[in-house]
């Protein structure tokens, strides 16, 4: 057995969200996400050890910043993240469903008519 900690499986994402820092809401982009945390990007990223609340379309999570480098930071959630609920509230689920429609798959055939 490896002595390294096992990392949770991550999903790549581009989800616009908000984070609450010191009583002020700021924009962030979630770049990847797992059940235990996420990697975010922000114009003014939080410092390691900072406690955050992150919200996206009615889904909220709290936790702390475990690392920060440049504009990127790692966030460890206090409770497991419900990926299904979070991603279904995002545009990712809407785009994936749209991609499966016959109109979206065969748009190039329709334009020839």
């Amino acid at each position: 057995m490896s002595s390294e900690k096992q990392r949770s499986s991550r999903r790549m994402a581009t989800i616009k969200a908000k984070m609450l820092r010191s009583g002020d809401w700021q924009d962030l982009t979630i770049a990847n996400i797992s059940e235990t945390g996420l990697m975010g990007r922000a114009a003014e990223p939080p410092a390691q050890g900072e406690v955050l609340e992150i919200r996206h379309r009615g889904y909220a999570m709290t936790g702390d910043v475990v690392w920060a480098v440049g504009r990127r930071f790692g966030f460890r959630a206090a409770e497991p993240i419900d990926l299904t609920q979070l991603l279904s509230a995002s545009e990712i689920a809407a785009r994936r469903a749209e991609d499966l429609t016959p109109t979206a798959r065969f748009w190039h055939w329709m334009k020839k008519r």
Side-chain angles (χ1 to χ4, degrees):
M1 185 173 231
S2 173
S3 62
E4 293 181 29
K5 287 195 319 187
Q6 180 114 7
R7 288 180 59 168
S8 297
S9 175
R10 278 142 176 73
R11 292 188 62 176
M12 299 303 290
T14 303
I15 301 171
K16 301 293 183 186
K18 297 282 187 183
M19 63 180 164
L20 182 61
R21 299 177 59 199
S22 306
D24 188 29
W25 288 99
Q26 297 177 3
D27 294 330
L28 83 130
T29 300
I30 298 171
N32 73 42
I33 191 155
S34 73
E35 291 180 347
T36 58
L38 60 85
M39 182 180 79
R41 290 188 311 260
E44 296 178 31
Q48 183 175 350
E50 208 169 323
V51 175
L52 304 176
E53 178 179 343
I54 296 178
R55 290 188 184 181
H56 173 70
R57 295 187 180 179
Y59 187 85
M61 60 189 112
T62 58
D64 60 322
V65 177
V66 292
W67 61 267
V69 176
R71 294 180 40 164
R72 298 176 304 137
F73 64 93
F75 170 84
R76 178 178 49 214
E79 300 282 328
I81 298 171
D82 184 340
L83 297 177
T84 303
Q85 185 178 359
L86 177 65
L87 295 174
S88 68
S90 75
E91 294 174 6
I92 293 170
R95 275 188 262 135
R96 185 169 290 141
E98 185 178 280
D99 288 345
L100 297 175
T101 64
T103 304
R105 285 189 298 176
F106 303 113
W107 65 270
H108 60 283
W109 291 351
M110 296 176 69
K111 289 196 173 224
K112 290 181 182 178
R113 292 183 182 186

